[in-house]
């Protein structure tokens, strides 16, 4: 599903009205009808509508009129004077009064809020750009403290529809009903935390507009992820499903290499080889069953640059994807190896963790890349890579991921909530799976293995990353059902990968 900014949604709205000839009042009636449907699901007897001055307020007022004959008590609180109302909002208010809907100018009293079963938030919609202050801000804080059940119209009042920022203060909704397409603010924190359960309703926008190729931000839906799963023909053998070379691990960080490799196997790789420091061969040998080992020349703690010829020979002869970085260490030798891989590797490379830290020292080498590169940083790693603060990255994670993917000519997987997958041509996918339990050591190593495996099985690096983050999150969700959030570890995610495939293909 496409995801839009406030400007993009306003353009869809404008073209629907001006080009397709659907009156704005018709769209408002349809919006009100969908909101009323969701309100009625809770069988309320007492509902209050908080109506703002714009068309969002008009949606709420129309909803109150539609609910009048279906519930016991309904009341509109008109928070702004009539001279500040938009044309359509004023028209809806006049109609509601003629229908006998009670309208009160000003804020509801505490007892009126406390007696309400549902509060409909129709104060501000997606067009809000400045912070809410003064009396209204104080009222919103008080309403949040009452913890009433709130249904937000389009977006919770106070949430930026473009960044998810809280503009001064924001209502915390239990349910949000939005129209046409989700907005960025519904999916980005802290707005996501204010949105509650999100429902995206069709109110008649032309499909030509809502599915336009000009809208390049999308969510990863199960139906799309399902289509990306590599086929598994009955007549096949292990060499058909890719050979992943995992270059990872160092003294004290052997687990990262093991988890990356195991995740690749669980995702369907035919073969996985671990290129590791020879000094750690015994440690790795005691832990592996299905994986193969490629012990290489090493320094005291990490792989040595002397191992480079053997690495390149192995890739040219056997591997069709490289996973580089988890626990590999950070020193000059690793830098030499990574530089040579980017300049000479004939197959895609997934770079994570220590690999991204090392890449930051030689970032310009990406201009000489001989194959496609996938970077999988968390915000801290990306901050070091591009010299932008974590705070700024989190504030603009979609735009920054999109920009960096284009500038560096890479597939960028920006981990977080939500994980953002961007590619150089501007397409971006936002992941819809995952949970707080996955914030645990090794989770990123698992993702690296999943993505590398899917590339080895024939997906493009971009689509392998899209499916990879979805499967990774879904595996975490499945694991959390059994383990809960607090007890979840990376190994649980790996063990749940097979079930994630089963669930996705049902």
């Amino acid at each position: 599903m496409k995801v839009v900014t406030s400007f993009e949604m306003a353009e869809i709205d404008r073209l629907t009205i001006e080009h397709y000839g659907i009156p704005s009042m018709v769209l408002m009636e349809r919006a009100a009808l969908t909101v009323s449907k969701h309100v009625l699901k809770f069988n309320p007897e007492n509902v209050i509508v908080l109506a703002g001055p714009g068309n969002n307020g008009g949606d709420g007022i129309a909803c109150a009129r539609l609910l009048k004959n279906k519930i016991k008590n309904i009341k509109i609180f008109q928070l702004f004077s009539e001279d500040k109302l938009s044309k359509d909002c004023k028209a809806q208010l006049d109609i509601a009064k003629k229908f006998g809907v009670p309208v009160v100018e000003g804020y509801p009293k505490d007892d009126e809020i406390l007696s309400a079963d549902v509060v409909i938030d129709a104060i501000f919609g997606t067009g809000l750009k400045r912070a809410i202050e003064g009396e209204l801000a104080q009222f919103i804080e008080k309403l949040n403290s009452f913890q009433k059940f709130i249904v937000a119209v389009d977006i919770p009042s106070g949430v930026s529809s473009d960044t998810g920022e809280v503009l001064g203060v924001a209502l915390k909704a239990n349910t949000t009903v939005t129209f046409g397409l989700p907005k960025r603010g519904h999916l980005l924190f802290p707005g996501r935390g204010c949105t509650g359960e999100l429902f995206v309703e069709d109110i008649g926008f032309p499909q030509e507009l809502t599915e336009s190729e000009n809208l390049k931000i999308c969510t990863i839906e199960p139906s799309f992820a399902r289509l990306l799963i590599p086929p598994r023909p009955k007549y096949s053998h292990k060499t058909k499903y890719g050979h992943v070379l995992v270059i990872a691990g160092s003294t004290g960080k052997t687990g990262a290499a093991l988890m990356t490799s195991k995740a690749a196997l669980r995702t369907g790789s035919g073969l996985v080889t671990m290129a590791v420091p020879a000094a750690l061969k015994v440690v790795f040998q005691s832990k592996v069953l299905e994986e193969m080992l490629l012990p290489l020349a090493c320094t005291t703690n990490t792989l040595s640059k002397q191992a480079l010829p053997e690495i390149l020979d192995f890739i040219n002869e056997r591997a069709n994807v490289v996973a580089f970085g988890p626990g590999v260490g950070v020193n000059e030798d690793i830098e030499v190896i990574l530089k040579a891989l980017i300049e000479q590797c004939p197959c895609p490379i997934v770079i994570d963790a220590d690999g991204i830290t090392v890449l930051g020292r030689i970032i310009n080498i990406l201009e000489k890349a001989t194959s496609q590169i996938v970077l999988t940083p968390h915000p801290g790693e990306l901050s070091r890579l591009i010299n932008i603060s974590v705070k700024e990255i989190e504030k603009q994670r979609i735009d920054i991921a999109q920009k960096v993917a284009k500038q560096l000519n890479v597939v960028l997987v920006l981990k977080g909530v939500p994980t953002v997958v961007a590619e150089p041509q501007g397409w971006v996918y936002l992941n819809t799976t995952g949970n707080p339990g996955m914030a645990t050591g090794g989770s990123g190593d698992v993702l690296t293995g999943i993505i590398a495996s899917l590339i080895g099985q024939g997906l493009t690096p971009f689509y392998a990353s899209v499916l990879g983050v979805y499967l990774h999150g879904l595996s975490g969700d499945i694991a959390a059902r059994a383990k809960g959030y607090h007890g979840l570890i990376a190994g649980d995610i790996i063990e749940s990968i097979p079930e994630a495939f089963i669930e996705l293909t049902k």
Side-chain angles (χ1 to χ4, degrees), residues 166-231:
V166 169
L167 300 174
V169 64
L171 275 169
K172 296 179 180 178
N174 302 86
T175 293
T176 296
V177 183
T178 197
F179 316 118
L181 294 169
K183 287 68 183 176
R184 293 186 183 189
H186 293 133
L187 306 174
L188 300 173
F189 276 93
R192 181 168 169 177
C194 297
T195 297
E197 189 172 8
L198 178 65
F199 295 91
V200 182
E201 293 287 356
D202 177 13
I203 62 170
F205 294 116
Q207 191 175 42
E208 179 183 350
L209 299 180
T210 57
E211 296 186 5
S212 169
E213 289 293 299
N214 294 324
L215 303 176
K216 291 183 176 288
I217 314 299
C218 311
T219 56
I220 309 173
E221 299 299 323
S223 57
F224 181 65
R226 189 176 301 119
L227 293 174
L228 296 177
I229 296 175

Side-chain angles (χ1 to χ4, degrees), residues 40 69 140 152 157 205 349 390 444 500:
L40 289 171
N69 295 331
I140 288 175
S157 293
F205 294 116
I349 310 171
V390 171

Side-chain angles (χ1 to χ4, degrees), residues 80 84 98-99 118 181 221-222 234 298 415 470 481-482:
F80 293 79
K84 293 184 178 180
K98 291 176 182 177
F99 270 72
V118 174
L181 294 169
E221 299 299 323
K234 289 184 178 180
C298 58
K415 294 180 286 198
Y470 187 90
R481 294 172 198 165

